[in-house]
Amino acid sequence: MAELFPLAEELSCSICLEPFKEPVTTPCGHNFCRSCLDETWVVQGPPYRCPQCRTVYQVCPQLHKNTVLCAVVEQFLQAEQARTPADDWIPPARSGASSSATEVACDHCLKQLAVKTCLVCMASFCQEHLRPHFDSPAFQDHPLQPPVRDLLRRKCPQHNRLRELFCPEHGECICHICVVEHKTCSPMLLSQASADLENKLRHKLAVMYSHINGATRALEDVRAKQHSVQDSMNRKMEQLRQEYMEMKAVIDSAETSSTRKLKEEEKRVYGKLDTIYQVLVKKKNEMQSLKAEVELTLAKGDEFEFLEKAAKLQGMSTKPVYIPKIDPDHELIKGIYQSALNLKSELKRSLKQLQEKKAEEPIASGDMGEHGSESTPKYTRPAKKTPRK
């Protein structure tokens, strides 16, 4: 079975996991039992999908019997059945107790043990009550045989005769008169039929033993593959987590750098405006002081004192307040914001390309690289721009 097991997998339906029965081929090239695929699509309904590759069919495709595959499966099953049973397995022995070896009571006295059964009288007799069959000429043509147990059950209900033959075509025991009704069959003696069926059942049991061993190995293989897939996915998820952590670190670094530049620009502009504010406060206080002196001089009554004070105040000049233009570096702010937009657009574009690639290509079974570099896009930090002074 070891050398046939790989072939058994190839010749098995992926729905019922048994050898193909009337295999059919889908347009996408996969094989299934006709009944399995029909039942699957009846339950699934349109649109119809291939159970193996998930190809979609809006209309149920026409399925044709794969005659070549059917012949291969038949030859495989014949080769499997012809194999000898495993050496380490011995079929259970059939009970050797024959019905004639058991104790049967005399049907006449119901006390003594029967020594013979008459196939004409359909009764069993002890030594005493069997005597007429030896002494009387009327019983000389009655065939005798060792005592038969459950004689009533072995009688033919139609002809009241012992059923000594077996019809393999109908699978029933018959008597000699029933042979007329089974003339197209091939009846055989019960002992011969019993031995023949026993050999067939023993062979069937050996084949079942091989199938059970194969199923056990298949279960172990499936469980091993489950563990392998689980371990592989855990490794890939850890790699993926590391990659996303690196990407997050790149984004966090870019955000920190951009935020620092904006705060530096804010500090520069805010500092200059604060200096201007302090100068304006000083000038306002000076003008208010001069205003108060002018008002006080105008209120003086002494003309001599007024002239001296007015002449002095007249010589002091006053100018309107001038506010220099202090604005943030809009080009710098625009560049920082544009860098963030470029990083976001690049991230979206890379993710979209990756999703489209996965949708177009079949799922690959190979592992990712050491750091998942085959499937994870790399990002570069935006170039730093020199702040404008």
Side-chain angles (χ1 to χ4, degrees):
M1 186 65 183
E3 62 271 17
L4 292 179
F5 186 69
L7 183 59
E9 290 183 338
E10 296 296 329
L11 299 179
S12 298
C13 173
S14 60
I15 298 178
C16 65
L17 303 180
E18 294 183 359
F20 289 116
K21 303 179 187 68
E22 192 180 356
V24 293
T25 305
T26 61
C28 54
H30 295 111
N31 300 299
F32 306 94
C33 300
R34 179 184 291 275
S35 59
C36 294
L37 189 58
D38 288 343
E39 292 176 3
T40 300
W41 280 354
V42 166
V43 174
Q44 185 182 85
Y48 305 96
R49 294 179 179 271
C50 173
Q52 191 158 340
C53 68
R54 311 304 294 171
T55 301
V56 179
Y57 303 103
Q58 298 299 331
V59 180
C60 185
Q62 293 290 333
L63 301 175
H64 301 285
K65 182 178 179 180
N66 191 329
T67 55
V68 175
L69 182 59
C70 187
V72 173
V73 172
E74 184 176 355
Q75 292 179 4
F76 167 75
L77 293 177
Q78 291 177 356
E80 188 182 43
Q81 290 179 358
R83 291 180 55 82
T84 57
D87 296 335
D88 58 346
W89 179 78
I90 301 177
R94 185 165 168 244
S95 175
S98 173
S99 60
S100 60
T102 57
E103 296 181 350
V104 178
C106 175
D107 290 323
H108 189 276
C109 65
L110 302 177
K111 295 179 181 180
Q112 300 296 325
L113 294 179
V115 293
K116 292 291 182 181
T117 296
C118 178
L119 299 183
V120 176
C121 300
M122 293 304 294
S124 300
F125 302 98
C126 62
Q127 189 67 41
E128 178 66 24
H129 296 107
L130 185 64
R131 191 181 304 277
H133 282 74
F134 296 113
D135 298 340
S136 174
F139 296 103
Q140 289 181 358
D141 58 345
H142 286 203
L144 300 175
Q145 71 173 45
V148 178
R149 188 181 179 187
D150 297 331
L151 192 59
L152 293 178
R153 188 171 64 88
R154 297 188 60 179
K155 285 183 180 180
C156 175
Q158 184 178 0
H159 305 108
N160 198 30
R161 291 289 185 270
L162 191 67
R163 294 186 289 182
E164 296 180 320
L165 302 173
F166 178 77
C167 176
E169 286 78 7
H170 293 85
E172 60 180 1
C173 297
I174 60 176
C175 67
H176 287 84
I177 302 178
C178 294
V179 173
V180 178
E181 300 175 1
H182 294 259
K183 57 184 178 180
T184 59
C185 303
S186 303
M188 59 182 69
L189 295 176
L190 292 182
S191 57
Q192 180 184 355
S194 178
D196 184 52
L197 288 177
E198 181 179 351
N199 291 333
K200 290 181 178 179
L201 285 179
R202 287 179 181 276
H203 181 74
K204 184 177 182 65
L205 210 56
V207 172
M208 291 173 62
Y209 176 79
S210 299
H211 289 173
I212 292 173
N213 280 346
T216 301
R217 286 191 290 271
L219 289 173
E220 293 174 353
D221 290 344
V222 171
R223 185 62 71 191
K225 289 180 181 179
Q226 282 183 322
H227 293 316
S228 175
V229 168
Q230 191 175 36
D231 294 341
S232 175
M233 288 303 170
N234 287 336
R235 290 194 300 271
K236 290 179 180 179
M237 284 189 286
E238 179 61 25
Q239 294 172 358
L240 196 62
R241 188 181 69 84
Q242 292 293 338
E243 293 297 328
Y244 275 104
M245 286 180 62
E246 292 181 13
M247 286 191 286
K248 291 176 182 177
V250 171
I251 295 175
D252 290 343
S253 176
E255 180 186 7
T256 301
S257 176
S258 299
T259 303
R260 177 177 54 79
K261 292 178 182 178
L262 289 178
K263 285 190 174 294
E264 289 176 354
E265 181 65 13
E266 177 191 8
K267 182 179 179 181
R268 182 185 69 82
V269 176
Y270 186 87
K272 289 186 176 183
L273 290 176
D274 188 62
T275 302
I276 294 173
Y277 182 84
Q278 298 298 331
V279 172
L280 290 176
V281 169
K282 182 179 179 180
K283 286 185 176 183
K284 178 182 178 183
N285 291 336
E286 291 175 353
M287 287 188 291
Q288 286 180 341
S289 298
L290 182 59
K291 171 180 168 289
E293 289 183 16
V294 171
E295 290 176 347
L296 184 61
T297 300
L298 291 174
K300 290 183 179 295
D302 186 358
E303 184 174 330
F304 179 77
E305 186 178 359
F306 170 75
L307 289 173
E308 289 181 348
K309 193 69 175 176
K312 183 179 180 181
L313 293 174
Q314 182 63 27
M316 297 179 67
S317 63
T318 58
K319 297 179 180 180
V321 177
Y322 170 72
I323 304 176
K325 185 178 181 181
I326 305 296
D327 291 327
D329 189 344
H330 294 290
E331 290 297 326
L332 173 64
I333 298 174
K334 182 179 178 181
I336 294 173
Y337 186 68
Q338 188 62 43
S339 297
L341 290 179
N342 292 341
L343 179 59
K344 183 177 70 173
S345 300
E346 182 68 17
L347 179 61
K348 288 183 176 180
R349 184 185 64 80
S350 300
L351 291 177
K352 184 177 180 181
Q353 288 180 350
L354 182 61
Q355 292 172 353
E356 291 176 350
K357 183 179 179 181
K358 287 184 177 180
E360 293 175 357
E361 297 180 357
I363 299 176
S365 59
D367 291 335
M368 293 193 302
E370 182 178 358
H371 297 290
S373 59
E374 294 181 357
S375 59
T376 307
K378 294 294 184 182
Y379 301 94
T380 57
R381 296 178 59 183
K384 295 184 178 179
K385 292 187 177 181
T386 305
R388 298 178 58 184
K389 301 295 184 181

